[in-house]
Amino acid sequence: MRKLAAGNWKMNGTEADLGEIDALLAAHPTPRCEMLICPPATLVARMAGRAAQGLMVGGQDCHPKTSGAHTGDVSAAMLADAGASHVILGHSERRADHGETDSLVRLKAEAAWGAGLVAIVCVGETEAQRDAGQTLDVIGAQLAGSVPDAATAANTVIAYEPVWAIGTGRTPTTAEIAEVHAFLRARLAERFSDAQGFRLLYGGSVKPSNAAEIFAVPNVDGALVGGASLKAADFGGIVEALSAA
C-alpha cells in the first residue's frame, strides 16, 4: 500500500497556475508516495496532458448518471475521458453547499467505479457535533451510508476531514486524529476483508509545518490537502514528509 498525497484545488486555478504542476514534478520526479491533484473540471484534461508518471489527476465531484439532461454536471466517464484516475466524493463543502446525502455519495461512488475511477469518499464532523460528543456517531453513519458494499482497497480511499479544521488553520490533536482513524479502520474491518489495505487520508489544514506529526499517527496513510496544494513548494513539503513517514 503506497501512501497518497492528494491535493484538492477546489474552485481555484486557471491555465496560468499549471506552472505549479511543472514545478512540483521538477522537484519530485519520483516520489516515494503517490501524488494526486484534483483541479477544477476545466483543468483536468490540461493538467493530465502535462502530468508525468509521478502525478495522477482527479476530479472534485461527479454525477451519479453516465449522461443525460443534467446541465452543469460532469459524469465520471467524462472525467475518465479527460484523463482523471480518481474523484473526490462527499466533501463537506458539497454536503453543506449542495445538500449531498450519504445515499447520493454512495451512488456517485458506484458511478466512479463504473468509469474506472478510484473514489475518495470524505467523512467528517462539524464543530458543533464534536463539541456535543457525536464525532464517532456522525462519522460511523457517514461511512455506512456513503461507502457501497462493493468497495475494495483498490477502488476506494477514505478521507477524514473534520469540517471545523478545513481552511481554518485549526488542527485536531494527534490523539483526536488517531481516535477517528482507528475507528474508521475498525468499522471497515467489520465490512471488508481487505480493510487493512484501505488508505485512510487525513484532511484539514495540513501544511508542511505539521505534516510529519500527522503522518506519524497510526492509520494515517496520507492526506487530502486543500490550500497548501495550490503551491508546488507547499505541497512538495507535504510530499516529502509523507515519503519519509
Side-chain angles (χ1 to χ4, degrees), residues 1-3 185 196-200 221:
M1 178 178 64
R2 293 188 70 195
K3 297 188 176 184
R185 187 75 71 193
Q196 292 302 315
F198 277 77
R199 286 178 290 185
L200 305 182
D221 307 309

Side-chain angles (χ1 to χ4, degrees), residues 7 28-29 51 60 83-84 96 101 131 141 150 158 185 190 192 194-195 200 207 217 227:
H28 303 279
Q60 298 178 14
T101 62
D131 290 344
I158 307 298
R185 187 75 71 193
E190 293 173 1
F192 306 107
D194 59 347
L200 305 182
K207 45 190 178 288
V217 175

Side-chain angles (χ1 to χ4, degrees), residues 42-67:
T42 54
L43 291 180
V44 170
R46 280 177 280 181
M47 186 177 291
R50 65 203 294 167
Q53 185 175 354
L55 179 70
M56 301 176 293
V57 178
Q60 298 178 14
D61 181 47
C62 70
H63 195 278
K65 300 289 187 182
T66 57
S67 61

Side-chain angles (χ1 to χ4, degrees), residues 49-242:
R50 65 203 294 167
Q53 185 175 354
L55 179 70
M56 301 176 293
V57 178
Q60 298 178 14
D61 181 47
C62 70
H63 195 278
K65 300 289 187 182
T66 57
S67 61
H70 306 288
T71 301
D73 284 310
V74 176
S75 73
M78 291 172 179
L79 290 174
D81 182 63
S85 58
H86 294 63
V87 61
I88 299 169
L89 301 173
H91 192 280
S92 63
E93 290 158 1
R94 296 290 309 178
R95 292 178 186 263
D97 296 347
H98 299 272
E100 293 196 1
T101 62
D102 294 337
S103 58
L104 178 58
V105 176
R106 177 182 286 245
L107 291 174
K108 290 184 175 187
E110 292 171 340
W113 301 339
L117 301 179
V118 175
I120 301 176
V121 178
C122 300
V123 298
E125 83 282 15
T126 64
E127 185 173 26
Q129 290 166 335
R130 173 162 282 280
D131 290 344
Q134 300 171 339
T135 294
L136 298 185
D137 290 337
V138 169
I139 291 169
Q142 289 177 337
L143 191 71
S146 302
V147 179
D149 293 334
T152 68
N155 66 20
T156 304
V157 174
I158 307 298
Y160 166 55
E161 295 196 311
V163 178
W164 49 274
I166 299 174
T168 65
R170 296 182 58 195
T171 307
T173 65
T174 54
E176 289 170 335
I177 296 172
E179 178 189 32
V180 173
H181 279 246
F183 173 79
L184 289 171
R185 187 75 71 193
R187 282 296 175 93
L188 289 171
E190 293 173 1
R191 294 179 60 190
F192 306 107
S193 61
D194 59 347
Q196 292 302 315
F198 277 77
R199 286 178 290 185
L200 305 182
L201 309 183
Y202 171 75
S205 296
V206 180
K207 45 190 178 288
S209 61
N210 63 14
E213 182 181 21
I214 291 171
F215 295 148
V217 175
N219 293 303
V220 174
D221 307 309
L224 181 56
V225 183
S229 68
L230 294 169
K231 295 297 182 182
D234 291 338
F235 193 63
I238 292 169
V239 168
E240 289 173 0
L242 185 56

Side-chain angles (χ1 to χ4, degrees), residues 9 12-22 42-43 45-47 50:
W9 278 19
N12 298 290
T14 61
E15 175 80 29
D17 297 298
L18 292 179
E20 296 295 329
I21 298 303
D22 299 333
T42 54
L43 291 180
R46 280 177 280 181
M47 186 177 291
R50 65 203 294 167

